[in-house]
Amino acid sequence: MTSNPKKCPMDNNNNSDSDSLYYEVQESFPFARHSRPLLVANCSEYAVAHSNGRLKPARHLNEVTFLPHILNAMRRLRFTHLLRLQSYAWPHLGQGEGHGAVIVSAPRSGRTLSYVPPLCQVVCTTLTEQRCRMQRCWQLQGPIALVLVADLDRVQQTGSLCNAMLRKARNEEWLTLVLTVPSARTPELFQRLLNGVGCLVATPAQFLWLCGNGVKLPSLRFVAYDDVDLMPADQLQDAHQQLLLLTRQQRPQLVINTQSYDPKLLHMLREFNSQPMVLFGDVLEAAVYGGTRMRISLLRHAAKSEELLRVLRERPPHLRRTVINCHTDADMRELVRTLKAHGYGCLPYYQTADLAVREQVHRWMQDSRGELLLCTDHCPELDIRHAHTLLHYSMSANWSLFKLRHLALADNLCNRLALTQPGEQSESDTLLSLVLLDESNHKQLPRLVDFLQMHQHVDERIVQLARHIRAQLELAKCNEPALCDLLLSLGECVGAQCEQRHQLLPQDRQLAVPLPAGGDVKMQLIRVYTPAHYCVRLLEHLPLGGSWQTLPRDATLDLQLQLLQSQQCVRHWPPQAKEICIYRNANGYERVRILRVAHIAQVNLSRTDVDVEVQALDVDTRQFKTTSGHLYICPEQLRDAPPLAMDLRILGLVPHTGERSWHEQDGQQCAAWLNAVPQPNFLQARIVLALSHTLFVQDLALTSYAPSLKMHVRRLTMGQQLLRKQLAKKCEQVVAKQLQFFEQDSNQALIEPQVVQQREMPKLLTATPLASRCGIFAKMAMQLGKENRLRLEREKEQQEEQQQLTKRKQTEQMELQQPDDSIEALYNCLMNCTLMELTDKCSHEQPLAADPKNKPEGSLSETMDPQSELPPTMPATVKRRNKRKSVAVSEKVHDMQLQIPADVLRPEVLYYQTRCTLELQIVLPEDNLPYEALLHNGCCIAFWTLCTSATPIYQFILNTHCAYQQLSHHRQGRTVYVSLLKSLAVTYPLDFGFYKFMKPHHEKLHLLEKERRARIANFEAYLLHKGYIPGRVANRANSSDELSSDEQADEMSSDPRMERVERARDGTEFNCD
């Protein structure tokens, strides 16, 4: 350990141990691959800064004092120019304790780098002081700097940037430069906090969790709230109150970064720092902060001049300096003629203005003399800062130019941080910004309304009109087929700059033919994105009250895609959104759907370097970027095939700490849990709602086959597992938001705004009566129209009668063609007689002794169900010879049975028998579902589930026509096991062919058949041993030539080629029953 502060900046960032890699950000910052972070269009060349003291902005980068390794890291980031935000922020924050700032600017405008270098400067300076003071022990505890960001992606970005500018000595292995909070809450996290941390980067939810576990902050010197407009308001307020309690002895410097100004942020800053500064890179936000009154007027183009003249009469130009902004010189010339005609002096500044006009503008800036300055957005040489009235006769071409217009009001804005400014309120009230919108630029209304709603009240009619225009613009987005990921996971999106679609379209609700809309599904896992988002392939579907059905899919699709490698594929040009094409990856070909395409200037020239964003359809559902050179034309037979992969999301599942995004390690942990279950296994879930590309389920379960139990066992339920490990939780508010977004009508946004202004329907009555000749022609036309309508109605009725007559004749012919089989007639008679006999018999019997509330409705009637029993009078030979006819008869008898209620369903039942028992396995849809089972009259089995509000009743009554003594049952998971003890230890004739819900357990039946054959072979060997039968008919018990029936055994015994003599056996070798 060294105490020389000069060696510390020269040391390497010694964080290469394996333990620190788990908690810290990536140590080796990728400077070579990192693009310049500030080289974007949002970097403004203008800034507005207010403070309660004098501000001294820096002009050049060499005027800023930072440590050498911080400047070296900035050079490696290719940051060589000082922007206006940094020119004010760095000198102010560099003054140390008591100096804080609120930075209001657009995203990607350099606002993060406005506080990161001063933060790293404070951390390195504090570490140097600790080394100088350290004699026997290290006195640093907790973090020196704290950065709260909106989500986990920003945690990694900000942490990487801070780690690139921090250094520590080689022998300070216990020190952690940049610490993030992992999803796994291990004790080592708190050990690192106790040993000292340079910078702690976390979300508000993670910081509140740390505070709840007793974390102290005695060494905190710098705090930053980054992107507070994206943070949950309640979490930010709670985190701020915790910091106030933990930093009572020494308040740290506070920096707040936001996209929109809020007076509450200024109050939060004053609670920490006595020398605050508010810095605006967004001039429009600065105008609202400074007291500018914003107004919107929706007019026709012809009425805009009248509205402008009315405003000029209210605010005379000789009292308030007025600037009128136009879009083009043509608009300016038209407006100048109108203003001069009404006696107003004008000073137009055209794009062709010469030096004389420029001098007139300088004179106007000194003394306006009541003249109106007219200009366009293409005059950056105009340096106007002290106007009072800003009139927007035409909107700008983009939002950035419109915001820059308000720079003309900068010098007259109210400084709310100044202690005393007499008369400032009256001065700020005079500032006005009026926007005149017409039918040519109404598309810019939604964004303007969104901005005004954050700062002031807006007329409800204008809000509804903006909503209507936004809905039309959303529907017109043909280049955005993908829905916003935040909308799908949380039901809302707070990102103002989100480029994805935020409205459901009709094609989102149209499900393909094999896709299920409800019930349960079995799936194969492909990929885990997050604990709430998976990629799966659908295998089987269980409709409500039905049975499992295999979903059809093209099994040869993968093979057809790979066969394309032997063909000459044609490149796909030009790429367009929503098209399906072939993507060539490192392993072969796969189908993808195009999501977004960069602008193509020359469509006729084929290019291979156009940036394209696509989504996979079969391998998985990932979204990635590629170029047009990797896309090929998809064959038509493959283009129409449905996707093999689908997205699956769990409704309402959010991170346990309350963040809006997941840790990458959380998804990896879920994948490890699912892959650890042995094969064969499958995923099972119940569908809540379905879109064409995504299934939303309540929970996700993993089921595997247990060979020892010969049954499927549920191994894992994802929601319960995540809740047990404290990685996730169910949020009912998120579920409500998701359902509200998914269930809303996509056309509702187009219908609501039409209520604002109702148009009167035109009246079809004429002002004067028709002339006599015209009236005659009108009456003739009406009479002809009436006759034609009656004639068409008669022809339609005749066609319907002819169709009904034809159908009746065809039915009679089909009945005549059917043979009058005497056996079939006898069978029908026997079935009807049996039904009547059983009905009379059961009408005199007493009901089952049980609770009437829990008894299944119509239980006795179901006992006599002709479809649920086989009449004993029917010969077996007749049934084998007339199988098809018996099926037809059963369909006719089915019409005679009593109808069960709509909320009563049949469960799936597997059956098999042993020599002593009859075994039933009843599969229920849910765990812990209450049920009852009993044996009635020794031959009738009754089963039903108890009434619940959430699920229907599952019941059945089975008449076996065989004697049983006792019934026992137990439950394991979703399966109820029922065992009936036979009165005779023999094989009962079980014929449940008429019960559609009864299915044989083939594995158990196969074992029973093997035992029967073994007993037959053993018995024959015993007879051979005693000499009761000749040796030539005996066969070995373990021979592969098994007897399938008694007739086959007789045939084999009579075959001379099968004769053989077996050896004599002892009595101990036989085990006869």
Side-chain angles (χ1 to χ4, degrees):
M1 188 178 303
T2 179
S3 60
N4 189 359
K6 295 183 181 180
K7 294 183 179 181
C8 181
M10 300 174 60
D11 291 332
N12 294 329
N13 192 345
N14 188 18
N15 290 327
S16 59
D17 57 299
S18 58
D19 295 334
S20 65
L21 291 178
Y22 182 74
Y23 286 96
E24 299 180 13
V25 194
Q26 181 181 357
E27 302 300 332
S28 57
F29 190 80
F31 290 99
R33 302 193 307 270
H34 196 275
S35 60
R36 184 180 176 184
L38 303 180
L39 191 60
V40 288
N42 289 339
C43 294
S44 175
E45 298 179 359
Y46 305 95
V48 178
H50 286 175
S51 180
N52 55 3
R54 185 179 179 182
L55 297 175
K56 297 180 180 180
R59 300 297 179 182
H60 302 284
L61 190 60
N62 52 12
E63 297 180 10
V64 183
T65 303
F66 286 130
L67 292 175
H69 69 272
I70 297 179
L71 295 175
N72 185 30
M74 293 169 60
R75 283 193 296 268
R76 297 178 67 181
L77 286 172
R78 295 192 290 273
F79 177 65
T80 57
H81 297 283
L82 188 64
L83 297 181
R84 296 298 292 170
L85 287 179
Q86 287 83 39
S87 66
Y88 282 96
W90 288 351
H92 180 75
L93 297 177
Q95 298 180 34
E97 182 181 353
H99 291 76
V102 174
I103 303 176
V104 184
S105 185
R108 296 175 295 177
S109 60
R111 59 185 183 181
T112 300
L113 271 177
S114 298
Y115 73 85
V116 169
L119 179 147
C120 297
Q121 179 84 6
V122 172
V123 171
C124 293
T125 304
T126 306
L127 290 176
T128 302
E129 294 175 358
Q130 289 288 333
R131 297 186 187 100
C132 296
R133 297 174 185 174
M134 182 180 58
Q135 297 178 356
R136 294 184 178 180
C137 62
W138 184 261
Q139 299 179 358
L140 182 63
Q141 180 181 356
I144 302 175
L146 172 65
V147 181
L148 298 182
V149 295
D151 50 48
L152 298 178
D153 292 337
R154 289 176 171 83
V155 167
Q156 295 297 324
Q157 296 171 5
T158 307
S160 299
L161 192 58
C162 294
N163 196 55
M165 298 184 182
L166 292 177
R167 294 292 183 272
K168 69 178 180 181
R170 294 182 183 274
N171 52 359
E172 295 176 350
E173 292 83 3
W174 66 87
L175 177 63
T176 305
L177 289 180
V178 178
L179 180 65
T180 60
V181 181
S183 58
R185 316 303 188 189
T186 57
E188 191 172 356
L189 172 67
F190 298 96
Q191 294 177 3
R192 290 178 173 270
L193 286 172
L194 293 175
N195 292 335
V197 175
C199 179
L200 174 63
V201 185
T203 62
Q206 292 176 341
F207 176 71
L208 291 174
W209 178 81
L210 290 175
C211 294
N213 287 272
V215 173
K216 305 298 181 182
L217 306 174
S219 305
L220 191 62
R221 299 292 180 269
F222 200 102
V223 178
Y225 301 159
D226 205 343
D227 286 323
V228 297
D229 47 341
L230 300 181
M231 297 180 185
D234 54 344
Q235 294 182 4
L236 177 63
Q237 186 64 29
D238 294 342
H240 184 75
Q241 294 299 327
Q242 288 290 339
L243 283 173
L244 288 175
L245 295 176
L246 295 174
T247 59
R248 291 178 179 178
Q249 298 181 357
Q250 183 179 5
R251 298 297 187 189
Q253 292 183 256
L254 178 61
V255 178
I256 302 177
N257 274 2
T258 180
Q259 185 177 353
S260 58
Y261 171 75
D262 191 347
K264 297 179 181 179
L265 303 179
L266 202 57
H267 176 69
M268 296 169 64
L269 179 63
R270 284 174 168 172
E271 291 179 338
F272 274 88
N273 302 133
S274 59
Q275 300 293 327
M277 178 187 68
V278 55
L279 179 60
F280 291 93
D282 192 327
V283 186
L284 185 58
E285 294 283 349
V288 175
Y289 154 82
T292 304
R293 190 159 46 98
M294 303 278 302
R295 287 176 51 192
I296 301 176
S297 294
L298 300 177
L299 304 166
R300 295 185 178 274
H301 182 74
K304 290 171 64 175
S305 301
E306 298 178 1
E307 179 67 16
L308 190 142
L309 292 174
R310 187 189 64 80
V311 174
L312 291 178
R313 287 193 295 268
E314 294 179 357
R315 302 174 63 87
H318 63 277
L319 297 179
R320 298 177 178 88
R321 188 175 283 104
T322 304
V323 177
I324 303 177
N325 292 100
C326 300
H327 183 53
T328 60
D329 290 350
D331 295 340
M332 197 185 308
R333 293 188 184 94
E334 178 184 355
L335 186 58
V336 166
R337 289 194 297 266
T338 303
L339 293 175
K340 287 184 177 180
H342 289 79
Y344 288 99
C346 300
L347 180 58
Y349 190 86
Y350 299 106
Q351 297 186 26
T352 58
D354 52 8
L355 186 59
V357 180
R358 182 71 179 275
E359 293 178 355
Q360 293 179 11
V361 173
H362 282 288
R363 188 263 310 160
W364 178 87
M365 295 172 61
Q366 300 297 329
D367 184 9
S368 64
R369 299 179 183 178
E371 290 183 332
L372 301 173
L373 177 63
L374 289 84
C375 60
T376 63
D377 296 321
H378 306 287
C379 304
E381 62 274 9
L382 293 182
D383 191 13
I384 304 172
R385 297 291 186 272
H386 55 289
H388 300 90
T389 304
L390 194 60
L391 303 178
H392 307 275
Y393 185 76
S394 302
M395 282 293 292
S396 303
N398 54 61
W399 183 250
S400 299
L401 292 177
F402 173 74
K403 293 192 297 184
L404 199 59
R405 289 179 177 181
H406 294 80
L407 197 63
L409 309 173
D411 290 349
N412 290 330
L413 297 179
C414 172
N415 185 1
R416 301 184 182 276
L417 296 178
L419 297 178
T420 56
Q421 272 196 359
E424 66 175 4
Q425 189 66 25
S426 61
E427 181 69 18
S428 63
D429 289 341
T430 60
L431 301 181
L432 174 67
S433 177
L434 175 63
V435 182
L436 302 177
L437 295 178
D438 56 10
E439 58 273 9
S440 62
N441 49 25
H442 67 281
K443 293 183 179 180
Q444 302 181 13
L445 178 65
R447 189 166 189 177
L448 185 59
V449 169
D450 291 342
F451 173 79
L452 292 180
Q453 281 185 315
M454 293 187 296
H455 302 284
Q456 64 186 41
H457 176 71
V458 184
D459 189 3
E460 186 63 26
R461 294 176 297 176
I462 296 180
V463 174
Q464 290 187 1
L465 181 59
R467 193 179 305 159
H468 172 60
I469 296 173
R470 187 191 307 277
Q472 290 181 339
L473 295 177
E474 287 288 341
L475 291 177
K477 282 186 176 181
C478 62
N479 204 28
E480 300 297 335
L483 275 170
C484 177
D485 185 74
L486 284 178
L487 277 178
L488 295 175
S489 57
L490 300 177
E492 62 178 356
C493 178
V494 297
Q497 303 297 327
C498 183
E499 299 178 353
Q500 293 179 321
R501 179 160 52 89
H502 294 80
Q503 189 176 13
L504 286 176
L505 298 180
Q507 53 264 29
D508 293 326
R509 304 178 184 271
Q510 294 176 358
L511 302 182
V513 176
L515 294 182
D520 293 2
V521 287
K522 290 182 181 179
M523 301 159 290
Q524 175 189 356
L525 178 65
I526 297 179
R527 188 173 180 181
V528 179
Y529 298 109
T530 66
H533 184 196
Y534 303 84
C535 177
V536 297
R537 284 189 180 183
L538 303 182
L539 302 177
E540 298 181 19
H541 176 224
L542 175 64
L544 187 62
S547 58
W548 286 104
Q549 302 172 2
T550 303
L551 294 175
R553 67 184 185 93
D554 191 358
T556 63
L557 182 60
D558 295 336
L559 180 60
Q560 296 180 25
L561 289 173
Q562 300 308 319
L563 289 177
L564 293 176
Q565 299 182 9
S566 60
Q567 303 177 7
Q568 188 68 24
C569 296
V570 182
R571 294 192 182 276
H572 184 82
W573 183 265
Q576 297 180 2
K578 300 183 182 180
E579 290 183 344
I580 295 178
C581 55
I582 300 297
Y583 170 71
R584 185 172 186 177
N585 52 27
N587 300 324
Y589 292 91
E590 62 175 315
R591 291 190 307 166
V592 296
R593 177 183 287 109
I594 300 177
L595 300 181
R596 193 175 293 109
V597 183
H599 176 69
I600 302 176
Q602 298 291 336
V603 182
N604 297 330
L605 298 179
S606 178
R607 295 169 51 187
T608 60
D609 58 346
V610 178
D611 294 332
V612 182
E613 185 175 352
V614 298
Q615 182 179 19
L617 298 179
D618 305 316
V619 177
D620 50 21
T621 58
R622 70 191 188 282
Q623 298 182 11
F624 58 97
K625 294 182 179 180
T626 183
T627 57
S628 57
H630 294 84
L631 301 181
Y632 298 88
I633 296 178
C634 180
E636 187 174 356
Q637 64 272 17
L638 301 180
R639 193 181 309 157
D640 299 333
L644 297 182
M646 284 199 68
D647 283 327
L648 183 137
R649 295 178 181 269
I650 303 178
L651 279 175
L653 198 64
V654 297
H656 189 269
T657 53
E659 295 108 354
R660 301 177 65 87
S661 57
W662 296 89
H663 278 280
E664 184 179 357
Q665 293 84 358
D666 296 343
Q668 297 174 357
Q669 180 62 52
C670 292
W673 289 336
L674 296 175
N675 295 329
V677 177
Q679 296 289 341
N681 58 44
F682 58 86
L683 297 176
Q684 185 174 347
R686 174 162 295 180
I687 301 175
V688 179
L689 56 92
L691 298 179
S692 60
H693 45 76
T694 307
L695 295 179
F696 295 89
V697 299
Q698 192 69 28
D699 205 343
L700 187 64
L702 180 63
T703 304
S704 65
Y705 184 74
S708 59
L709 300 177
K710 300 296 183 180
M711 61 179 298
H712 289 88
V713 180
R714 178 171 295 181
R715 295 296 187 91
L716 178 67
T717 302
M718 187 56 65
Q720 299 177 1
Q721 181 75 2
L722 292 171
L723 185 62
R724 191 182 305 112
K725 297 295 183 180
Q726 293 186 353
L727 295 179
K729 63 181 179 180
K730 275 282 188 176
C731 182
E732 298 298 333
Q733 297 179 355
V734 173
V735 175
K737 291 179 181 179
Q738 288 177 318
L739 295 179
Q740 181 181 3
F741 171 73
F742 295 134
E743 293 175 359
Q744 66 182 356
D745 189 2
S746 59
N747 297 324
Q748 185 177 0
L750 300 178
I751 298 175
E752 289 182 353
Q754 297 179 1
V755 185
V756 178
Q757 183 179 359
Q758 297 181 356
R759 298 182 179 180
E760 297 182 1
M761 295 298 295
K763 298 181 179 180
L764 300 179
L765 299 178
T766 56
T768 58
L770 295 174
S772 59
R773 189 172 183 180
C774 294
I776 294 173
F777 285 126
K779 291 181 180 179
M780 293 175 60
M782 293 176 63
Q783 184 66 23
L784 290 174
K786 183 177 181 181
E787 294 177 356
N788 291 334
R789 184 172 65 255
L790 294 176
R791 179 176 55 82
L792 292 176
E793 291 178 356
R794 286 195 299 269
E795 291 179 356
K796 186 177 181 180
E797 292 177 356
Q798 292 177 0
Q799 290 179 359
E800 292 179 354
E801 292 177 357
Q802 186 68 24
Q803 291 177 358
Q804 293 179 0
L805 182 61
T806 304
K807 291 181 179 179
R808 193 179 301 111
K809 291 181 179 180
Q810 292 177 356
T811 305
E812 294 176 356
Q813 291 178 1
M814 292 177 62
E815 293 179 355
L816 292 175
Q817 291 176 0
Q818 293 181 355
D820 187 9
D821 196 343
S822 60
I823 297 179
E824 181 179 359
L826 177 61
Y827 177 78
N828 293 336
C829 181
L830 291 175
M831 291 292 292
N832 295 333
C833 293
T834 305
L835 177 63
M836 295 176 62
E837 180 182 356
L838 292 175
T839 305
D840 295 338
K841 179 181 179 181
C842 293
S843 62
H844 299 289
E845 292 182 356
Q846 296 181 356
L848 299 178
D851 189 2
K853 295 182 180 180
N854 295 333
K855 284 291 184 179
E857 299 181 4
S859 59
L860 292 179
S861 61
E862 291 182 5
T863 308
M864 287 78 71
D865 189 348
Q867 194 178 4
S868 62
E869 65 177 350
L870 187 65
T873 56
M874 180 179 178
T877 56
V878 175
K879 186 179 71 171
R880 286 197 300 266
R881 295 176 181 177
N882 302 281
K883 185 176 180 181
R884 296 182 179 179
K885 296 180 181 180
S886 63
V887 172
V889 172
S890 65
E891 294 177 354
K892 295 180 181 180
V893 178
H894 176 72
D895 298 335
M896 301 172 57
Q897 68 177 349
L898 298 178
Q899 298 294 329
I900 62 176
D903 59 342
V904 176
L905 302 174
R906 303 296 191 204
E908 181 180 349
V909 182
L910 299 177
Y911 70 90
Y912 67 94
Q913 64 173 328
T914 63
R915 296 191 62 189
C916 300
T917 61
L918 172 64
E919 304 292 339
L920 303 180
Q921 296 180 5
I922 307 170
V923 182
L924 297 179
E926 296 181 0
D927 297 339
N928 301 325
L929 193 64
Y931 70 93
E932 289 289 344
L934 58 88
L935 179 64
H936 181 63
N937 289 338
C939 63
C940 187
I941 306 170
F943 176 87
W944 68 94
T945 59
L946 302 183
C947 297
T948 58
S949 58
T951 59
I953 301 175
Y954 291 85
Q955 70 177 29
F956 68 88
I957 297 178
L958 188 66
N959 194 352
T960 60
H961 300 282
C962 299
Y964 295 92
Q965 293 181 354
Q966 184 181 358
L967 182 143
S968 61
H969 58 85
H970 70 279
R971 183 211 303 272
Q972 184 174 356
R974 295 190 303 133
T975 306
V976 177
Y977 298 88
V978 179
S979 178
L980 294 99
L981 181 62
K982 297 179 181 179
S983 299
L984 299 175
V986 296
T987 302
Y988 282 175
L990 300 179
D991 194 351
F992 298 139
F994 285 92
Y995 293 96
K996 297 182 179 179
F997 61 92
M998 298 290 293
K999 298 181 180 179
H1001 200 308
H1002 296 288
E1003 295 182 0
K1004 298 291 185 180
L1005 295 177
H1006 180 66
L1007 294 177
L1008 293 175
E1009 181 65 19
K1010 289 182 63 177
E1011 293 178 1
R1012 187 185 70 84
R1013 293 176 180 177
R1015 287 196 300 271
I1016 293 175
N1018 200 11
F1019 181 67
E1020 290 182 351
Y1022 177 76
L1023 295 179
L1024 175 65
H1025 173 69
K1026 294 295 184 179
Y1028 296 139
I1029 59 175
R1032 62 185 182 86
V1033 299
N1035 294 325
R1036 293 183 182 272
N1038 58 354
S1039 175
S1040 60
D1041 300 331
E1042 298 178 347
L1043 298 177
S1044 60
S1045 64
D1046 296 338
E1047 297 176 358
Q1048 186 178 1
D1050 295 339
E1051 293 176 359
M1052 293 176 61
S1053 62
S1054 62
D1055 190 355
R1057 293 173 296 178
M1058 298 297 296
E1059 294 181 358
R1060 58 188 177 188
V1061 179
E1062 295 221 358
R1063 66 177 178 85
R1065 300 186 182 183
D1066 298 333
T1068 57
E1069 297 182 32
F1070 301 104
N1071 184 16
C1072 298
D1073 296 334

